[in-house]
Amino acid sequence: MFKLMRIKNLNNPNKFKNFNFKKKFIWIFILCVCNQFIKCEQIQTEDKNFETPNILYIMSDDHAKNAISIYGSRLAEISPTPNIDRIGNEGIIFNHVFATNSICTPSRASILTGQYGHINGVNTLRDDFNNNSNHLGKILQKSGYNTAIIGKWHLHTEPTGFDYYNVLPGQGKYFNPMLKEKGEPWKYHNKGGKRYEGYVSDVITDESIKWLENRDKSKPFFLMSHHKAPHGLWEYAKRHENLFEEVDIPLPNSLYENKKHGPLKGEKYGSSISDRNPKRSMLNQVSRKNWPTGAIDTFGLTKKGKIYAAYQKYLKDYLRTAASIDENVGRLLDYLDKNNLSDNTMVIYTSDQGQFLGEHDYFDKRWMYEESISMPLLIRYPKKIKPKQVNNDIILNIDFAPTFLELAKQTIPLEMQGKSFLSNMQSNTPKDWRKSMYYRYWMHMASHYNPAHYGIRTKEYKLIFFYGLPLNQKGAVNTPTDPYWEFYDLKNDPNENNNLYFNDNYKNLIKKLKNELNLKKEKLLDTDEKYPELEKLKEKHWN
Ligand code: CA
């Protein structure tokens, strides 16, 4: 009561005259202390409202759109991903995002450099990333961002452009993984590091949160939190072993499709769920006693057949592994909420490329088909993006770096081939936005027996030229395969089950697409002049 009277007196000009100097001093002192206390409170709430926002980039490895429930696939109901979906529900869902070369190392290099592999030098899994190049991490770091990468790196050379890194050597392990921390000598990309107790997705998130806690809070942050999961071989956390126990995983309509793709109708090309390709067969793999989660016998061959059983086993292993990602995305979102960082942070969820989940009898990626080249992409940034937005523009992994640079108010280097899609995510797609995309898989026949190919995808059609040459690429198999073409009408055949290349109704359209493909190659500086053997082959097989 006494204090209130005093305040009243302070606000009353007539009484103020009688207020002696000593009392005035005490009141000024009290007000200063209160002011300091309020300032401390503001610092504790963390949201500094930097002119440029924080960027939290969460990327998993081989996480198919079909395994993320917001995309509404056949798996959405049995395998929901509420935390990942939250990013899209509170922000924007992108439906047509593609990797320009659907394998880990090249896609990661393209994300950082904004360039295709033929420009940044990473065409195959064996190519080393040029860590002297000017890339996203480096530019953001120079512009005043506090930068870090934690988790899977897979670019061979030591990470540059990051104030802090703690990365898995090579592919890394699912249980008690090693992580290589900045400061330790970088001798071998796939060896070294310190052992961390626990499951890899949890460890990567623990380390990401630890870095967020201890970061320099006077700067905005750019954190790349990169998961190993759900990359094969799929070893799930103990807590997920009973997930889907009594569940029959729904089948894709093309699981039993066989021999529809490839020069010899696919007998020996590409990975297979069935034993079609004995060298890369899921059925053969999961029948082995040393399969990490136990051989298929322990799962039980069903009356529905071996392919069905191999598919069930693969999908259960894969989805259980992916479940750890959803939980850990939830942990990061909670951290942002609790620390009042959600409003001023752009949160991105994506994967380096897609993954076949039994479609066309395939697992793995590499092919230019939809399940492989499609990347999930969900972005939340409440200050600029309204909730529940949907975008259908053709967006590529090379567009990521320009977008984050524009967000950070940085100049986009001319050598970046991608374009910023910042305005696209605010429902304002530029009029000259690309209407088609160029794709190229270089690593001829390696590992999963996919012939080298390139092609063009528009919103409605896809044309692929399987040239089948190694072209001295690192890791490519030195045996050419027969060249062939495929063409799909995506509007009428979204699952790419009917190759219409030889259908006369599409003759003129295919001719037009071939021209467009050549123009695109010229524009992107990926002409085949360097490879006379390919030029020669094109002369024979282009028309
Ligand atoms: Ca990958």
Side-chain angles (χ1 to χ4, degrees):
M1 180 60 89
F2 173 76
K3 269 185 192 171
L4 273 173
M5 277 169 68
R6 285 291 181 210
I7 291 167
K8 266 188 179 172
N9 286 342
L10 263 174
N11 292 334
N12 183 339
N14 296 326
K15 301 273 177 181
F16 193 71
K17 285 184 253 176
N18 306 325
F19 210 66
N20 66 39
F21 177 76
K22 199 179 164 190
K23 279 179 182 167
K24 233 173 27 182
F25 178 79
I26 291 167
W27 273 106
I28 288 166
F29 178 75
I30 291 168
L31 285 170
C32 283
V33 168
C34 284
N35 195 27
Q36 278 307 309
F37 179 71
I38 289 162
K39 271 187 189 164
C40 283
E41 273 292 297
Q42 278 169 350
I43 286 165
Q44 278 165 10
T45 58
E46 282 201 7
D47 187 349
K48 294 219 171 179
N49 275 304
F50 297 109
E51 214 183 305
T52 48
N54 303 305
I55 303 169
L56 173 59
Y57 180 88
I58 312 168
M59 184 163 81
S60 52
D61 198 347
D62 298 2
H63 202 183
K65 260 168 74 181
N66 281 338
I68 296 169
S69 51
I70 200 166
Y71 283 104
S73 82
R74 69 185 191 275
L75 306 169
E77 212 169 296
I78 55 127
S79 181
T81 50
N83 296 300
I84 296 173
D85 292 1
R86 200 186 136 193
I87 301 171
N89 284 326
E90 294 173 4
I92 183 164
I93 309 161
F94 293 88
N95 283 326
H96 293 110
V97 184
F98 304 112
T100 46
N101 178 3
S102 180
I103 30 176
C104 305
T105 311
S107 183
R108 284 154 198 268
S110 287
I111 286 165
L112 282 181
T113 60
Q115 297 171 328
Y116 274 83
H118 62 272
I119 301 290
N120 67 35
V122 184
N123 284 337
T124 76
L125 295 175
R126 299 273 183 87
D127 288 319
D128 294 335
F129 179 63
N130 174 9
N131 59 4
N132 293 315
S133 63
N134 192 28
H135 63 74
L136 174 65
K138 271 194 193 164
I139 304 170
L140 287 181
Q141 187 184 38
K142 271 188 215 147
S143 78
Y145 267 79
N146 191 4
T147 58
I149 177 158
I150 293 164
K152 189 168 175 185
W153 170 242
H154 211 210
L155 284 171
H156 307 182
T157 51
E158 184 176 7
T160 52
F162 295 98
D163 296 309
Y164 178 78
Y165 70 75
N166 202 12
V167 294
L168 297 167
Q171 293 281 10
K173 290 192 170 131
Y174 271 111
F175 294 102
N176 305 324
M178 308 289 279
L179 286 173
K180 288 155 76 87
E181 199 171 17
K182 189 166 182 170
E184 186 192 326
W186 188 273
K187 216 172 166 187
Y188 305 102
H189 71 89
N190 55 357
K191 286 181 193 163
K194 198 181 101 189
R195 186 176 179 271
Y196 288 72
E197 199 84 21
Y199 188 68
V200 70
S201 311
D202 307 333
V203 170
I204 288 165
T205 306
D206 290 347
E207 291 305 300
S208 298
I209 289 173
K210 207 197 290 172
W211 181 81
L212 285 169
E213 280 285 304
N214 299 320
R215 75 189 195 277
D216 174 357
K217 288 172 186 156
S218 67
K219 294 175 170 183
F221 69 79
F222 171 55
L223 170 61
M224 300 187 99
S225 185
H226 285 191
H227 286 287
K228 170 184 171 61
H231 190 284
L233 305 174
W234 304 274
E235 295 178 69
Y236 44 81
K238 181 92 178 136
R239 63 182 184 272
H240 295 131
E241 69 181 348
N242 297 323
L243 204 58
F244 313 116
E245 207 170 40
E246 301 297 323
V247 177
D248 272 347
I249 310 284
L251 312 183
N253 64 8
S254 53
L255 176 65
Y256 296 98
E257 170 210 289
N258 212 333
K259 302 175 186 178
K260 276 204 175 162
H261 303 284
L264 296 170
K265 293 188 181 166
E267 280 95 337
K268 60 181 177 180
Y269 294 102
S271 54
S272 63
I273 303 292
S274 68
D275 54 7
R276 173 182 56 80
N277 182 348
K279 287 178 180 167
R280 282 288 162 178
S281 151
M282 182 61 68
L283 175 59
N284 291 358
Q285 284 188 19
V286 299
S287 301
R288 284 184 206 129
K289 277 193 182 134
N290 63 355
W291 184 250
T293 54
I296 200 169
D297 287 343
T298 59
F299 173 74
L301 283 171
T302 71
K303 281 179 191 167
K304 291 177 180 169
K306 284 183 181 180
I307 296 173
Y308 181 90
Y311 168 81
Q312 293 292 323
K313 171 74 175 158
Y314 164 43
L315 264 283
K316 286 181 184 186
D317 282 2
Y318 178 93
L319 293 173
R320 283 169 185 160
T321 308
S324 71
I325 301 293
D326 189 65
E327 290 170 357
N328 279 293
V329 166
R331 288 179 63 206
L332 278 176
L333 294 179
D334 286 349
Y335 179 85
L336 296 182
D337 285 346
K338 277 183 197 141
N339 291 280
N340 198 22
L341 286 163
S342 296
D343 278 352
N344 202 34
T345 301
M346 177 180 271
V347 182
I348 297 104
Y349 184 80
T350 190
S351 168
D352 57 352
Q353 80 302 295
Q355 172 88 357
F356 290 102
L357 299 175
E359 300 88 0
H360 309 291
D361 184 39
Y362 293 137
F363 64 96
D364 197 65
K365 51 268 181 176
R366 297 168 195 258
W367 295 107
M368 198 189 160
Y369 307 129
E370 291 297 277
E371 294 83 358
S372 157
I373 65 171
S374 295
M375 301 164 76
L377 180 65
L378 307 170
I379 299 185
R380 184 188 78 178
Y381 179 37
K383 276 190 184 164
K384 300 256 183 196
I385 307 170
K386 288 181 220 142
K388 295 202 178 293
Q389 299 297 299
V390 179
N391 179 285
N392 289 311
D393 299 327
I394 294 179
I395 286 166
L396 307 177
N397 54 0
I398 56 169
D399 299 328
F400 286 26
T403 304
F404 304 143
L405 290 180
E406 192 190 351
L407 182 73
K409 298 189 166 59
Q410 295 303 296
T411 309
I412 299 160
L414 283 173
E415 64 267 24
M416 287 195 173
Q417 296 177 299
K419 285 176 165 186
S420 166
F421 57 95
L422 200 60
S423 62
N424 306 51
M425 64 177 94
Q426 293 167 85
S427 309
N428 188 18
T429 299
K431 278 193 179 137
D432 62 346
W433 193 257
R434 72 171 71 79
K435 303 280 187 295
S436 59
M437 64 83 70
Y438 173 62
Y439 177 86
R440 184 162 191 170
Y441 173 71
W442 291 85
M443 206 172 174
H444 178 66
M445 291 301 277
S447 180
H448 291 68
Y449 303 92
N450 294 37
H453 58 281
Y454 57 65
I456 187 163
R457 185 205 190 280
T458 67
K459 280 214 170 157
E460 295 172 331
Y461 305 104
K462 188 182 285 179
L463 177 72
I464 319 171
F465 180 44
F466 292 86
Y467 59 86
L469 293 172
L471 306 177
N472 297 320
Q473 296 298 307
K474 271 191 199 160
V477 174
N478 212 12
T479 317
T481 53
D482 293 342
Y484 66 107
W485 289 90
E486 289 185 13
F487 168 79
Y488 295 97
D489 178 345
L490 299 174
K491 232 177 9 182
N492 296 312
D493 177 27
N495 297 321
E496 299 162 306
N497 291 321
N498 295 309
N499 175 15
L500 297 170
Y501 184 73
F502 296 104
N503 185 317
D504 278 348
N505 294 337
Y506 293 95
K507 216 172 162 183
N508 289 334
L509 180 67
I510 289 171
K511 207 174 161 190
K512 233 173 99 186
L513 282 172
K514 280 182 182 171
N515 284 338
E516 206 180 320
L517 176 56
N518 266 335
L519 286 174
K520 232 171 179 101
K521 282 170 73 65
E522 269 172 38
K523 200 179 158 197
L524 294 166
L525 310 172
D526 190 25
T527 52
D528 297 321
E529 286 154 16
K530 277 189 282 184
Y531 309 108
E533 64 269 51
L534 178 52
E535 291 254 280
K536 218 172 129 189
L537 186 136
K538 272 174 82 173
E539 265 174 44
K540 215 174 150 189
H541 294 277
W542 194 261
N543 293 310

